[in-house]
Structure formats: C-alpha cells, structure tokens
C-alpha cells in the first residue's frame, strides 16, 4: 500500500480509504490534508499574535497594503480592493473601523471626483510597523523548523504547486488564510 506510515494520522486516513475502497485515488491526501492543517495552524497562530497586539488579520491586511505602497502610503479604495482580493463592501467596513481608530484617513482625489483616497496616518504607520515585525518575526521563527535548504526547496515546490493550481482553478484572490 505505498509508502504510508500507519502511525501518521494523515497517512492513516489514506490507508483506511485504500482498505475500504481499493483503488481510491488517495495520492493527494498527504499533500492537501497537510497543507490544510499547516494553513489552519499558521492562521490560528497569526490571529493569536495579532490579538496580543490588539489587532486582527483584516486590519493587518489593510494597513500592510498601504504601507507596502510606498510614500505617501496612499491608495484609492479600488486599488485596495484589488490588492486585498476582498469585496468593496468588506473594504468599506475595514476602512470605517480603521478610520475610527485613527489609523487611516479618507479624502476625495479631487473636487467633484468620486475617487476616494486612503492614506495611512502616523498612528497607522506605527501600528503596521509593530504588527509586521511581530507577524513576520513569528513566521520566520516557525519556518526555522526547516533548514535553509528545506525552506528554499519547499518555497519552490509550493510556487510550482500554486502556479499549477491557479492554472487549473483560477485565482480567487485570497488575501490571507481564513479570508
């Protein structure tokens, strides 16, 4: 029955299917199930890290998009929607919360224009700097479970897999795990 370890919970699922339904295509279980489990663990850890800083994934997503845009840390609401991959309604809610918290400011692009510009405030800039350091530092800590060579190999394999999935399934524009 292949190279399955019955003591491994994921392999045990594949083995059970092969026992109950010989010929069942279980080759993907070892990859897909482990990716889902990793995504769930990493997503939960990110939420804990952000919660300890008084933030959430939606706030990080919004502030990060603005911060990565470069000075003057300003984008239109349409650009934010495109870069985050969430709906305009969700962006509107995120912006309202962030604006109420003093993290962003909204303004008209020009008099009479319907284009809305969103600018990162000094408080928003300070918060996103702290959040990025915490989140990316934690992710570096977690990925250090692998050697540098393993990290490089896994990164390349995941790039190939993700590109292939996008070719097969399209790109739904998922901005972060759990979106």
């Amino acid at each position: 029955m292949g190279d399955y370890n019955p003591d491994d919970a994921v392999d045990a699922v594949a083995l059970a299917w092969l026992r109950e339904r010989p010929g069942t295509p279980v080759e993907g279980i070892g990859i897909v199930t482990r990716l889902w489990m990793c995504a769930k663990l990493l997503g939960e850890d990110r939420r804990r890290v952000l919660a300890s800083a008084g933030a959430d994934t939606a706030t990080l997503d919004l502030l990060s998009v603005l911060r990565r845009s470069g000075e003057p840390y300003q984008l239109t609401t349409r650009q934010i929607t495109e870069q985050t991959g969430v709906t305009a309604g969700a962006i509107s809610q995120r912006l309202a919360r962030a604006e109420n918290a003093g993290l962003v400011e909204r303004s008209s692009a020009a008099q009479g224009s319907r284009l809305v510009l969103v600018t990162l405030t000094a408080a928003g800039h300070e918060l996103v700097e702290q959040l990025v350091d915490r989140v990316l530092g934690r992710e570096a800590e977690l990925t250090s479970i692998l050697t540098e060579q393993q990290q490089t190999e896994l990164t390349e394999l995941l790039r190939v897999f993700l590109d292939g999935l996008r070719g097969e399934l399209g790109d739904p524009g998922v901005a972060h795990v759990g979106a």
Side-chain angles (χ1 to χ4, degrees):
M1 285 204 220
D3 290 337
Y4 295 103
N5 176 355
D7 296 327
D8 178 279
V10 175
D11 286 352
V13 170
L15 287 168
W17 279 119
L18 288 173
R19 182 189 68 240
E20 295 300 315
R21 294 188 67 224
T24 299
V26 297
E27 298 81 9
I29 289 175
I31 296 169
V32 174
T33 301
R34 285 187 179 92
L35 284 173
W36 274 110
M37 293 170 119
C38 286
K40 184 172 176 16
L41 288 169
L42 291 169
E44 289 172 0
D45 188 73
R46 178 178 277 197
R47 282 186 283 283
R48 278 191 300 272
V49 168
L50 289 169
S52 73
D56 59 24
T57 56
T59 300
L60 175 63
D61 196 30
L62 172 64
L63 299 181
S64 293
V65 164
L66 288 165
R67 176 63 178 89
R68 290 191 313 261
S69 71
E71 288 192 54
Y73 311 118
Q74 183 178 73
L75 295 170
T76 66
T77 52
R78 172 170 280 162
Q79 289 171 314
I80 293 169
T81 299
E82 289 169 357
Q83 290 185 34
T84 59
V86 296
T87 66
I91 289 300
S92 180
Q93 290 176 354
R94 289 179 185 187
L95 288 172
R97 284 192 309 268
E99 190 172 38
N100 288 337
L103 304 174
V104 300
E105 293 175 343
R106 287 189 267 192
S107 61
S108 294
Q111 192 169 13
S113 172
R114 293 176 55 187
L115 203 61
V116 176
L117 293 174
V118 180
T119 306
L120 193 60
T121 64
H125 190 275
E126 184 178 325
L127 179 60
V128 74
E129 293 294 307
Q130 292 172 18
L131 295 178
V132 166
D133 286 344
R134 283 186 183 198
V135 168
L136 296 184
R138 178 64 175 156
E139 289 175 1
E141 179 185 324
L142 292 171
T143 57
S144 72
I145 291 167
L146 303 172
T147 66
E148 284 185 39
Q149 181 180 346
Q150 288 171 326
Q151 289 177 42
T152 300
E153 291 171 1
L154 182 57
T155 298
E156 186 53 34
L157 287 170
L158 290 172
R159 180 181 293 115
V160 170
F161 190 51
L162 182 57
D163 287 347
L165 288 174
R166 284 180 173 147
E168 263 314 293
L169 305 173
D171 187 353
V174 175
H176 58 273
V177 175

